[in-house]
């Protein structure tokens, strides 16, 4: 089993190093995309760690814009060109494992054709789409680099009818994070390079990264093998597009989750929860080893 761990980062190399450390294994190859706005020199120390590679073509990622889709596409293309992987797991530098690497590998080995990606098809009565329908029916100019773009956006959406959804695809979405097979990843990159009309539509969608790859997967043969992604996320009461920073009082809830990763952590805000997870993962390994020795 060969698994590529794709990690998108823009800060805190020490926390990233800790993430990589608890998942070190010959089965994993780490690919790190450092946002182009970030000084990559602070991450240079990670080059000495075995199986760590940096994505060469860095992208200036801007929150909720199509640049996030473009960055993911570039990363997948570099990983697929690097070699054949059974799975590609996409997380951020502020994620952290909540189950051991042994359990994670066992999951993937036991489900070799499952695509762990949230693909909720568009339906105006679905609870997620009730909150997010305007993202696809209205024009969003987040990508534009001109003054007054939001005033222009408001005028456009007042004067023009609702956007017409692509007839070629059923729009699906919910999250940009995924763990998909290498075969599916290659298919996704092919579609990202060929579905020009679909991608033009998404360039005017707010937070398109939560929809583009889910839409491609949902409209393919891989759709029948999809399950929800593997990351625990808490949006909190504000639900402002940013997940809550997880702190120590959430530890029991997180560990009890069926998920394999969690986000969002920040060691500068609460280091205790990361220390507790490191201890939890170490104990999980020791228990597994002792059980193996007894048998």
């Amino acid at each position: 089993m060969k698994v590529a761990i794709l990690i998108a980062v823009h800060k805190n190399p020490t926390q990233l190093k800790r993430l990589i450390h608890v998942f070190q294994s010959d089965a994993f190859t780490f690919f790190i995309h450092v946002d182009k706005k970030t000084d990559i020199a602070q991450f240079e120390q990670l080059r000495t760690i075995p199986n760590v590679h940096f994505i060469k073509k860095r992208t200036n990622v801007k929150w909720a814009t199509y640049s996030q889709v473009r960055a993911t596409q570039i990363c997948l293309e570099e990983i697929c060109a690097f070699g054949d992987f059974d799975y590609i797991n996409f997380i951020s530098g502020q994620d952290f494992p909540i189950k051991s690497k042994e359990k994670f590998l066992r999951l993937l080995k036991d489900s070799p054709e499952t695509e762990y990606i949230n693909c909720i098809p568009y339906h105006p009565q679905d609870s997620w789409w009730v909150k997010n329908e305007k993202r696809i029916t209205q024009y969003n100019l987040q990508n534009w680099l001109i003054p007054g773009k939001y005033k222009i956006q408001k005028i456009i959406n007042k004067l023009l009818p609702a956007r017409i959804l692509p007839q070629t695809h059923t729009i699906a979405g919910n999250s940009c994070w995924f763990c998909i097979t290498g075969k599916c990843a290659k298919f996704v990159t092919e579609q990202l390079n060929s579905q020009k009309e679909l991608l033009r539509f998404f360039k005017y969608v707010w937070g398109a990264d939560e929809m583009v790859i889910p839409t491609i997967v949902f409209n393919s043969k891989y759709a029948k093998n999809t399950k929800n992604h593997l990351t625990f996320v808490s949006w909190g009461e504000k639900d402002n597009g940013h997940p809550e920073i997880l702190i120590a009082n959430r530890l029991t809830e997180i560990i009890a989750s069926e998920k394999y990763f969690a986000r969002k952590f920040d060691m500068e805000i609460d280091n205790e929860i990361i220390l507790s997870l490191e201890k939890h993962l170490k104990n999980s390994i020791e228990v597994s080893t002792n059980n193996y020795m007894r048998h």
Side-chain angles (χ1 to χ4, degrees), residues 272-284:
E272 182 183 344
I273 191 168
I274 301 178
L275 288 170
S276 296
L277 285 171
E278 288 171 330
K279 183 178 179 180
H280 166 70
L281 293 169
K282 182 180 178 181
N283 290 341
S284 296

Side-chain angles (χ1 to χ4, degrees), residues 12-29:
N12 210 330
T14 302
Q15 184 171 318
L16 175 59
K17 185 176 181 180
R18 292 167 71 180
L19 188 167
I20 293 172
H21 175 73
V22 298
F23 245 49
Q24 267 290 302
S25 164
D26 291 339
F28 300 116
T29 304

Side-chain angles (χ1 to χ4, degrees), residues 282-295:
K282 182 180 178 181
N283 290 341
S284 296
I285 293 172
E286 290 175 352
V287 168
S288 297
T289 302
N290 290 337
N291 287 339
Y292 175 80
M293 293 296 290
R294 282 197 291 269
H295 288 87

Side-chain angles (χ1 to χ4, degrees), residues 28-197:
F28 300 116
T29 304
F30 300 90
F31 294 88
I32 301 170
H33 177 271
V34 181
D35 191 312
K36 199 170 184 178
K37 297 187 296 295
T38 301
D39 180 8
I40 199 170
Q42 61 185 297
F43 292 88
E44 289 297 324
Q45 56 177 303
L46 303 178
R47 292 188 187 275
T48 61
I49 302 174
N51 297 331
V52 168
H53 304 271
F54 284 80
I55 296 296
K56 296 182 178 67
K57 193 174 180 181
R58 296 166 63 200
T59 304
N60 182 357
V61 179
K62 297 179 180 178
W63 183 71
T65 71
Y66 194 82
S67 64
Q68 292 184 286
V69 178
R70 183 63 183 146
T72 307
Q73 177 182 356
I74 289 169
C75 292
L76 289 178
E77 288 174 344
E78 285 198 27
I79 292 170
C80 290
F82 183 92
D84 292 327
F85 291 94
D86 298 290
Y87 271 95
I88 298 175
N89 186 48
F90 180 35
I91 58 177
S92 86
Q94 289 188 264
D95 291 16
F96 212 79
I98 58 177
K99 287 185 173 56
S100 69
K101 56 192 175 186
E102 290 80 11
K103 287 184 178 179
F104 181 51
L105 282 174
R106 193 178 310 128
L107 172 77
L108 301 184
K109 287 177 180 178
D110 291 344
S111 57
E113 295 184 353
T114 302
E115 312 297 341
Y116 295 96
I117 179 170
N118 289 16
C119 300
I120 301 174
Y122 169 68
H123 192 287
Q125 293 180 344
D126 179 89
S127 59
W128 190 78
W129 283 107
V130 167
K131 293 190 297 182
N132 293 282
E133 184 176 24
K134 287 184 178 180
R135 289 165 62 177
I136 59 173
T137 58
Q138 295 188 355
Y139 290 88
N140 186 280
L141 307 184
Q142 191 93 341
N143 292 298
W144 286 22
L145 299 175
I146 62 170
K149 63 181 177 181
Y150 294 118
K151 288 184 178 179
I152 298 171
Q153 175 181 299
K154 188 174 181 179
I155 294 169
I156 288 174
N157 285 315
K158 187 175 182 179
L159 297 178
L160 297 182
R163 299 187 72 199
I164 299 174
L165 305 185
Q167 300 300 306
T168 53
H169 290 71
T170 297
I171 301 295
N174 182 248
S175 175
C176 65
W177 311 110
F178 55 75
C179 183
I180 57 178
T181 61
K183 291 179 181 178
C184 182
K186 288 179 181 179
F187 172 79
V188 166
T189 60
E190 291 167 1
Q191 294 296 296
L192 287 170
N193 284 307
S194 63
Q195 295 291 342
K196 304 300 183 184
E197 182 180 349

